Amino acid sequence: MRLLSLLLTVSLTLALAYYIYIPLPDAIQQPWKLMILDAYLRTAFHVASLKQWLGFDHQTRSFRQFTFGFEGILKEFLSTESSAGAVPGVKVSDISFAGIPVRVYEPPAGGEGHLRRGLMYFHGGGWAVGTTKKGPYDITNRMVSDELNTVVVSVEYRLYPDVHFPVPYLDCIAAAKHFLSPEVLAKYSIDPDRVAVAGDSAGGNLAAAVAQEISVDDSMSVKFSVQALIYPVLQALDFNTPSYLQNQYIPVLYRTSMIQFWLQYLNIDLSLMPEFLVNNHSALQHSSLTPELRSRLDWNVLLTQKYKKNYKPVIVEKGSEGFLKRVPGLLDVRAVPLLAGPEVLAKCPRAYILTCEHDVLRDDGLMYVRRLQDAGVAVTSDHYEDGFHGCFSLTSWPLEFDVGKKALRGYLSWLQNNL
Ligand SMILES: *[C@@H]1O[C@H](CO)[C@@H](O)[C@H](O)[C@H]1NC(C)=O
C-alpha cells in the first residue's frame, strides 16, 4: 500500500514537472516563475476550451476571466496587498469619450492654473483579452498619473469575439479624437503640446495606427506629441521573421497564439493557420502586395545582422488564390501600421519603442524603429536582452519580474523626459 502511494506521488510529481517545465534561454531570469505562469495560462486555455466545447461560454470570454482573475485570487488567498497597488491621491472615473468607455486617472496635483500632461493608453491582450479596470494596466496607469502628473485615459475598446477589425481601431480613434479636442483638454487642464499615445502588444498596434491617422488628419488642431509602443504588433504578412522563428516556443506568447490572435482579429477562419505559418498568404503571386509594399517589412534590409543571424526569408512563389482579396485587412495600414508609407511616417510623433529579445514580436518593433528613423522621426529604441513578451505587465507581486520592473521604469523615465 505504502509503496503504491509512494509510486503514485512520484509519478504525479514527475507529470507535474513535465507539464510545467519548458526549456528557456539562459538570459531569462526567474525562469521557474515564468514556467509556472505559463502552465497556469495553458491550463486556463484548456479549461476555457472545454467550457466552450460543453456549450457554456465562448472560449475567449472564459479565458479572459481566468487571466485577469489570477492576481486577485492569489492576493485574496494570501491576503496581502500589492506594493504597487492603489495610489491614494489619483482620482479615477469610469466615463465615456464619444460613446467609448474609458477610465480616466487624474493626478492629485495641479489642475488650478498650471497645465498637466495627458496620455491615452490602449491595453494589450491580442484584441481579445485585457481590461483597463483590473490587474497590471490599472496599476501602471495609476503610477503614470501620479508620478508624472499626467491625466491618463485608458480605453475600454471592444474585443473579440464580440467584434473584429476595424471595430477596436475605430473605438480607439473615436476616443483619441475626443480626448484631443481643445474643450476636453481644457476641461482636464492638459497642455495640448504634451499629449502621448501609448499601448503594449495589440494595444501598441492600436497606438501606432491611431498615431498615424491623427498625424495625417488635417482637421485635428491638436495632435499627439509623442508615442510609446511597448512590444507592438505591427504586421501580419510575415510570420517567419527571425524573432517569430527564434522565439516560437517562448512563453507567454507562442508563435501560433499570435497568429491565432491575428486570424480572430481579421475574422479569418482558424483552419487557415497552416497557410499563415508558411507565409502562403503573402506569396509573390499576390499582385496587390507590390514590391514597394514588401520593402516596408523586408526584415532582410530593415534588421541588422545581430538580429538576422542565419535566418533566411521565407518567400513563397505561389500560395492559394485570392487570399489578400478575401482578407483586405491584411493590407490595411489601420491593422498593419508597418505598411504605412514614408510620407505618413514622416508626420508621426517622436517615438519610444520597447522590444524584448525573447519575443516573437521583437522584429515588428525593430523594423518600425528603423522605418520611422528613415522617415526622419526621432526614436528611442529600448531593447531588453533579458526581456520576454508580457514582462511590462508583470511588475507587481506575486507576478513580478526584475526585467518587467526595469522595463516599466524605462518607460516612465522616457515619458518623464520626453512628454
Ligand atoms: C500553400 O499554397 C500552395 C499552393 O496553393 C499549396 O500547394 C500548399 O499546400 C499550401 N500550403 C499549406 C501549408 O497550406
Side-chain angles (χ1 to χ4, degrees):
M1 235 11 233
R2 283 178 63 184
L3 183 66
L4 192 65
S5 63
L6 181 69
L7 277 177
L8 205 63
T9 313
V10 169
S11 32
L12 276 177
T13 311
L14 285 177
L16 187 68
Y18 180 77
Y19 185 70
I20 293 176
Y21 180 77
I22 313 160
L24 290 176
D26 290 342
I28 294 183
Q29 308 288 308
Q30 300 156 289
W32 279 100
K33 206 184 242 189
L34 183 56
M35 286 182 222
I36 290 167
L37 170 64
D38 190 64
Y40 173 81
L41 292 174
R42 271 185 285 133
T43 310
F45 185 79
H46 295 316
V47 174
S49 308
L50 182 68
K51 276 179 77 180
Q52 170 163 315
W53 186 75
L54 293 172
F56 284 117
D57 198 359
H58 193 283
Q59 178 189 325
T60 303
R61 289 198 193 92
S62 317
F63 186 66
R64 206 181 288 161
Q65 285 166 0
F66 287 124
T67 47
F68 282 85
F70 185 47
E71 268 178 287
I73 293 165
L74 265 180
K75 268 172 206 157
E76 221 151 274
F77 181 64
L78 296 155
S79 59
T80 51
E81 271 300 306
S82 117
S83 55
V87 178
V90 174
K91 181 180 161 211
V92 178
S93 353
D94 291 315
I95 56 170
S96 76
F97 271 18
I100 313 300
V102 295
R103 173 166 272 206
V104 180
Y105 303 85
E106 292 172 73
E112 309 82 20
H114 86 273
L115 295 176
R116 311 178 281 192
R117 296 163 162 135
L119 181 139
M120 175 157 272
Y121 198 87
F122 305 129
H123 69 76
W127 308 280
V129 299
T131 169
T132 60
K133 297 196 176 70
K134 279 183 276 178
Y137 299 114
D138 188 50
I139 294 172
T140 309
N141 285 324
R142 271 173 211 264
M143 231 163 147
V144 170
S145 179
D146 184 51
E147 289 188 25
L148 305 181
N149 193 29
T150 302
V151 177
V152 178
V153 177
S154 184
V155 181
E156 198 73 49
Y157 58 91
R158 282 169 285 174
L159 300 171
Y160 172 87
D162 302 322
V163 297
H164 302 276
F165 173 78
V167 176
Y169 166 83
L170 294 174
D171 283 357
C172 291
I173 199 89
K177 286 186 173 173
H178 183 83
F179 187 39
L180 292 173
S181 69
E183 304 76 51
V184 174
L185 294 175
K187 178 178 172 232
Y188 288 103
S189 305
I190 298 170
D191 183 343
D193 292 327
R194 300 176 83 180
V195 190
V197 62
D200 64 293
S201 195
N205 167 278
L206 295 164
V210 165
Q212 290 180 1
E213 170 59 25
I214 299 285
S215 301
V216 296
D217 185 342
D218 292 331
S219 73
M220 298 295 296
S221 63
V222 179
K223 294 175 189 287
F224 289 112
S225 30
V226 302
Q227 57 180 325
L229 312 176
I230 315 298
Y231 34 69
V233 189
L234 295 170
Q235 59 90 26
L237 291 165
D238 186 356
F239 293 120
N240 289 277
T241 62
S243 63
Y244 261 110
L245 297 176
Q246 174 186 294
N247 304 311
Q248 55 186 319
Y249 303 119
I250 305 285
V252 292
L253 185 65
Y254 295 93
R255 178 171 176 243
T256 47
S257 315
M258 189 59 236
I259 299 177
Q260 181 169 340
F261 283 134
W262 265 117
L263 299 181
Q264 292 170 349
Y265 186 44
L266 298 178
N267 204 3
I268 303 170
D269 200 288
L270 293 185
S271 66
L272 293 175
M273 169 87 77
E275 307 244 16
F276 282 81
L277 283 165
V278 297
N279 280 356
N280 256 8
H281 62 302
S282 52
L284 287 173
Q285 111 216 45
H286 301 297
S287 55
S288 49
L289 188 50
T290 60
E292 165 70 22
L293 286 176
R294 286 177 192 281
S295 72
R296 295 176 185 173
L297 43 86
D298 182 356
W299 58 260
N300 211 16
V301 172
L302 297 168
L303 292 184
T304 58
Q305 191 54 42
K306 173 176 184 241
Y307 300 108
K308 286 200 282 189
K309 300 203 173 87
N310 291 323
Y311 291 99
K312 295 279 169 283
V314 174
I315 301 167
V316 179
E317 281 289 330
K318 217 173 137 35
S320 38
E321 284 303 326
F323 228 117
L324 296 175
K325 283 205 190 69
R326 286 204 306 277
V327 193
L330 285 167
L331 293 183
D332 192 326
V333 291
R334 299 174 305 168
V336 185
L338 192 57
L339 278 182
E343 70 293 349
V344 173
L345 298 188
K347 292 186 171 160
C348 281
R350 253 177 321 131
Y352 172 82
I353 300 182
L354 187 152
T355 49
C356 292
E357 179 59 27
H358 308 285
D359 179 359
V360 291
L361 299 172
R362 179 196 71 186
D363 298 342
D364 282 27
L366 291 175
M367 285 193 273
Y368 204 45
V369 169
R370 171 73 192 275
R371 292 215 47 231
L372 284 168
Q373 285 172 339
D374 286 353
V377 176
V379 186
T380 301
S381 172
D382 208 358
H383 184 69
Y384 289 88
E385 290 293 343
D386 50 347
F388 56 90
H389 195 81
C391 66
F392 183 77
S393 295
L394 300 170
T395 57
S396 66
W397 192 92
L399 293 175
E400 56 188 335
F401 285 82
D402 293 341
V403 64
K405 287 197 266 191
K406 205 165 55 176
L408 177 57
R409 277 288 136 211
Y411 164 78
L412 289 168
S413 81
W414 188 85
L415 288 173
Q416 179 70 280
N417 297 324
N418 291 276
L419 174 58

